Amino acid sequence: MKTYARWVLVLTVVVTLLIAVVPAKRAEAAEYPQVAQLKEFSPEAGYMSLAGYLRYLMFVQDGSWMSRAEASRIVKQQRQ
């Protein structure tokens, strides 16, 4: 029984460390597609707003949707 308990403890510690060390990573600012140079609602932006187009591109890249507020903030930063 001691061996079983020890393995359970070791496995629990390893899983906990993996969860703590490998968090879900969001793209850094330099990793976002550049959309600020595009014209909103044009064919090159997929007939979307720039924030909407950025959200779409990030969904294609990561498989998850970023918030509209976050996308708007990133587009605003790219325009500066």
Side-chain angles (χ1 to χ4, degrees), residues 5-77:
R6 182 174 288 175
W7 279 108
V8 169
L9 178 62
V10 168
L11 185 60
T12 303
V13 169
V14 168
V15 169
T16 303
L17 287 174
L18 285 175
I19 290 171
V21 173
V22 186
K25 181 181 176 272
R26 195 47 137 157
E28 299 293 329
E31 294 178 33
Y32 291 117
Q34 292 294 317
V35 297
Q37 75 281 5
L38 303 177
K39 184 178 177 190
E40 286 191 311
F41 306 107
S42 67
E44 62 187 356
Y47 301 100
M48 295 181 244
S49 67
L50 295 182
Y53 188 56
L54 177 61
R55 289 183 72 214
Y56 167 73
L57 292 175
M58 292 304 297
F59 176 76
V60 170
Q61 177 180 313
D62 295 342
S64 63
W65 288 100
M66 71 169 40
S67 71
R68 172 97 166 105
E70 184 180 5
S72 295
R73 180 185 55 78
I74 294 164
V75 171
K76 186 177 179 182
Q77 285 178 345

